[in-house]
Amino acid sequence: MELCPCVKNILLLDFEGKRVAAKFFCDDWPTNGAKEAFEKAVFNKTQKTNARSEVEVTMLENNIVVYKFVQDLHFFITGGEEENEVILATVLQGFVDAVGLLLRGNVEKREALEYLDLILLCIDEIVDGGIILETDANIIAGKVASHSTVADGLSEQTFSQALATAREHLARSLLK
Amino acid sequence: MAQPLVKKDDDRDDEAEYSPFLGIEKGAVLQEARVFNDPQLDPRRCSQVITKLLYLLNQGDSFTKVEATEVFFSVTKLFQSKDLGLRRMVYLIIKELSPSADEVIIVTSSLMKDMNSKTDMYRANAIRVLCRITDGTLLTQIERYLKQAIVDKNPVVASAALVSGIHLLQTNPEIVKRWSNEVQEAVQSRAALVQFHALALLQQIRQNDRLAVSKLVTSLTRGTVRSPLAQCLLIRYTSQVIRESNTQTGDRPFYDFLESCLRHKAEMVIFEAARAITELSGVTSRELTPAITVLQLFLSSSKPVLRFAAVRTLNKVAMTHPMAVTNCNIDMESLISDQNRSIATLAITTLLKTGNESSVDRLMKQITNFMSDIADEFKIVVVEAIRSLCLKFPLKYRSLMNFLSNILREEGGFEYKKAIVDSIVILIRDIPEAKESGLLHLCEFIEDCEFTYLSTQILHFLGIEGPKTTDPSKYIRYIYNRVHLENATVRAAAVSTLAKFGAMVDALKPRIFVLLRRCIFDSDDEVRDRATLYLNTLGGDGEVVETDKDVKIFLFGDLDIPLVNLETSLKNYEPSDESFDIDSVPKEVKSQPLVEKKAPGKKPAGLGAPPAGPPSTVDAYERLLSSIPEFSNFGKLFKSSSPVELTEAETEYAVNVVKHIFDRHVVFQYNCINTIPEQLLENVSVIVDASEAEDFAEVTSKPVRSLPYDTPGQTFVAFEKPDGITAVGKFSNTLRFIVKEVDPSTGEAEEDGVEDEYQLEDLEVVAADYMMKVGVSNFRNAWESMGEDFERVDEYGLGPRESLAEAVSAVINLLGMQPCEGTEAVAANSRSHTCLLSGVFLGNVRVLVRLQFGIEGSRDVAMKLAVRSEDEAVGDAIHEIVSCS
């Protein structure tokens, strides 16, 4: 058994199931055709569900898929059948929140494409070759934003905004 | 794209398709990439172009080798810029382009400079990039820096080095294993994720050393682990140590640790611990209780993931310890209405496993409401759970059978309906009381069934079970309705079923004859033929006589003749005064002799009960060979090759050969077909010249006595070879036979024949013939458990090849092994590839092979071949196969 928690893929699809950004970390889907087929299957299986307030979860082709939708964007993370779904959900929440911070709350397809460089860097900071690098949205977003070309675009104000969201997150998790 | 965001404009909302990448085109972007070569770099513009390139790659576009190389070279120029953001994008694109070995050299110095930079972000990313693209030789140069990085005070740098170490361990274990001191130090890090990554790497370095892992677990379970992820990892290691320690008596070691994790503050740790406890081998109910309690709390969590995790785990526990789960039944019943249908389905199937007899009715009521709004795939799971519940509580068959018949009437796809029908059939077979009601449910179903397959299956089943019931006549109406309302396939099946009722129930005979006679006017041949056949066999000339025993056997018995044989015999049969004799059809799958014309006796063969499917080829070969006395002492057949054609298509004689490999023998089975109607071949044999196959000595040859037109015949030649040796060689073959003219009008052959020969193509026995393709599900596990005792590693140059993919498939074919985990597929553009192979070698020796390929600019392919096997000699043999070719 593979002991280290492992992420098989991270997907960001739009409301029609089209790929916005995707990163596959294992050989289960060797070709782009296989990848697209999997994305389609995941999208079809989940599109009618309401995954807006909480991270939802399902099984597909002996994989665990956790997912969350924000506006017209569908976030997915896939792990193996034996994976701890709570870990996967934590990674997904980190991804969703980090994207929220980086897009300054405007989490929608158009923004995601506009700032695709940030999304790709974000994925790069979350998982490296299947191994979880970081799950804390603030740290992820910080790492991406601090050295991105839009760092100067992200004004002082947005940083304090990000900080405020961070505090809110902290407060929320303390309240639970 | 990096412009600060413009205030949202209402007009833009109307353009639903707006995208910064609208109409993006690879050629144009590649043109744009020329800005990387500008003497005055514009970092923002360069970043934009890289994003576009990444967008293309991300959307599945691929670059040709030339394009990729060109982009890579211009990207390397960007190291001149000091812009942080641009550098970040450069790192990203280099990883995506996965440059080849000789290209890597160009960025190595830049990346090594970054690895020693004062900027942490540079250090961390340069490490990740360099480790991703590097090969073993370069690794020794940068090893010193990596060891430093592991203990770097910046957690991002340390994590980057550790994670890279985990990846490198797969390819260069011997180097990474030398870092164990530094990794050990990093385990003590105060940074949560550094500890996690260090722990992951340390365990992998030591995974073959049980004692070391056990020590690691002992020390860590006493100390403090900071991150929940690291804690989860520790729980997994602990379970592994428990699994391997195998103490059956007394207190389980580390159980207290697992139990204490149930009180951890992070949910992922609580769940990991609860799951670990439920999966302990031979877990007692006392040990289970605290874990179940925690999972029960999760069942009512507001988070779907926790509910899912809990119910999924409880579902597994219910299989082995149903009693332990019953406490959670009330919580689980409320989950039946869960928004998340995966959770609801798991809850239902768990309840069905743990439910007792008294709760069945209540449960069924709840499930009925639930069934209407879930997808077919979930419904199938529920149907299967209900089937096993019914077998568990046969007294409850009434409500369960009713449930099944109700859902059978509702909308649903084929797979779902089939699952229900299968379940009902199983219940009818296993619960005698359920038979009558079950059959009637099925009858009602076929009144309105859109699936031909299901209708025919049910009709067949009715034909067997219906006549044995107390009142068979009530089924006749349903069956005969089919003859009016359905397509020809179903009509034919209905006719057969009617006939079975007629044969079994004498009282029904007159009525059945009337119905069958009507079927004689059907528009379909098969229906008419069947009706006529049955009328004749059952004596439908008006008299009601007891059905002949022979007829019953014919209608209900198994046809114990391989279908292939029957088919060939029927093809061979020419209409004449003499009837076809089914007894002349050989029962063994072997060479096809002439259909001998015996005196007519038995009835002609038409259709019978469903015959056994054709046996698998391996079985067939094995049976065939063992039936030949000359080969019976060769021992167990190791492998049979697929047929190799020895003649061109459409020649006078079609011959192919199958190579059968035994420990000390090789048997060639020549399958011959004579395609000339005017000829009869006799004494057909193949003369084999083995002068180019020195290790082989011919021991026996078995000719075909007679080979008429278009009837396959087999001749064999057996060779002896040294025991266990993978002898190879080339054989030239000549077909030798006596040919007799056949008069086409009478079909009689002339008395005298002429000896003749026919040249066949050469045949080779290659090393791959001694290898059986046998896959493994988890290659790494298999590889590790095989151990390195008999590992053989060597490197080979394969010279210039068409492509990397071509080289990979050539080596796979050469070895004749099973590629594992999809590693036979080579990603377009990749410059290196690892391929995992598994197989069983002659003498039943398991072999695993790890192949690493690299291709250079000049298409020269180099390969590193690592073999692990249970036998040292086999490892050498594999290398010999490669080095000889």
Side-chain angles (χ1 to χ4, degrees), chain B residues 368-388:
Chain B
T368 315
N369 301 327
F370 160 82
M371 287 301 268
S372 53
D373 53 27
I374 54 169
D376 272 10
E377 51 163 323
F378 293 131
K379 290 180 182 170
I380 293 173
V381 177
V382 175
V383 166
E384 279 161 5
I386 289 188
R387 177 205 303 167
S388 39

Side-chain angles (χ1 to χ4, degrees), chain B residues 512-716:
Chain B
I512 297 280
F513 289 154
V514 174
L515 298 178
L516 284 179
R517 261 182 228 119
R518 288 190 197 156
C519 298
I520 295 178
F521 305 103
D522 196 280
S523 60
D524 184 78
D525 289 354
E526 176 73 16
V527 180
R528 285 199 306 273
D529 286 357
R530 285 197 190 191
T532 314
L533 168 74
Y534 292 127
L535 278 171
N536 284 324
T537 49
L538 297 174
D541 41 5
E543 273 175 84
V544 177
V545 287
E546 188 158 325
T547 312
D548 200 23
K549 197 173 156 229
D550 277 354
V551 174
K552 275 190 189 162
I553 290 171
F554 165 54
L555 285 178
F556 297 107
D558 282 331
L559 184 68
D560 56 350
I561 300 169
L563 265 194
V564 225
N565 292 5
L566 180 60
E567 190 191 353
T568 354
S569 301
L570 281 170
K571 271 190 188 153
N572 210 41
Y573 172 72
E574 281 170 32
S576 66
D577 293 343
E578 292 174 87
S579 315
F580 178 81
D581 183 1
I582 188 131
D583 284 350
S584 66
V585 181
K587 295 206 162 74
E588 289 297 322
V589 186
K590 64 171 164 191
S591 58
Q592 216 32 263
L594 256 182
V595 177
E596 290 162 57
K597 293 178 179 172
K598 282 186 191 160
K602 292 274 173 73
K603 309 260 186 312
L607 100 159
S616 73
T617 27
V618 184
D619 284 353
Y621 283 141
E622 195 152 12
R623 210 172 316 150
L624 166 62
L625 291 170
S626 60
S627 70
I628 300 169
E630 288 92 326
F631 306 147
S632 55
N633 61 343
F634 285 2
K636 187 155 168 47
L637 175 63
F638 173 72
K639 180 190 171 177
S640 299
S641 73
S642 45
V644 184
E645 295 297 335
L646 295 183
T647 50
E648 303 281 325
E650 292 171 28
T651 46
E652 297 97 310
Y653 313 109
V655 180
N656 65 35
V657 64
V658 177
K659 297 172 267 186
H660 301 291
I661 310 289
F662 294 85
D663 277 348
R664 276 182 296 118
H665 297 88
V666 175
V667 174
F668 297 146
Q669 171 186 339
Y670 296 89
N671 299 308
C672 317
I673 297 181
N674 165 14
T675 63
I676 309 174
E678 296 82 20
Q679 284 191 353
L680 169 67
L681 306 187
E682 285 186 347
N683 253 333
V684 184
S685 62
V686 176
I687 308 303
V688 183
D689 175 7
S691 55
E692 284 179 70
E694 292 153 357
D695 290 334
F696 294 86
E698 184 169 334
V699 283
T700 175
S701 163
K702 197 172 179 302
V704 191
R705 204 161 325 132
S706 163
L707 192 66
Y709 163 64
D710 210 18
T711 306
Q714 287 118 19
T715 164
F716 299 85

Side-chain angles (χ1 to χ4, degrees), chain B residues 467-488:
Chain B
K468 297 182 207 156
T469 55
T470 47
D471 183 12
S473 64
K474 65 182 171 195
Y475 304 108
I476 302 293
R477 179 170 62 89
Y478 297 102
I479 300 166
Y480 189 63
N481 279 348
R482 306 280 71 70
V483 180
H484 288 299
L485 303 169
E486 304 281 356
N487 62 39

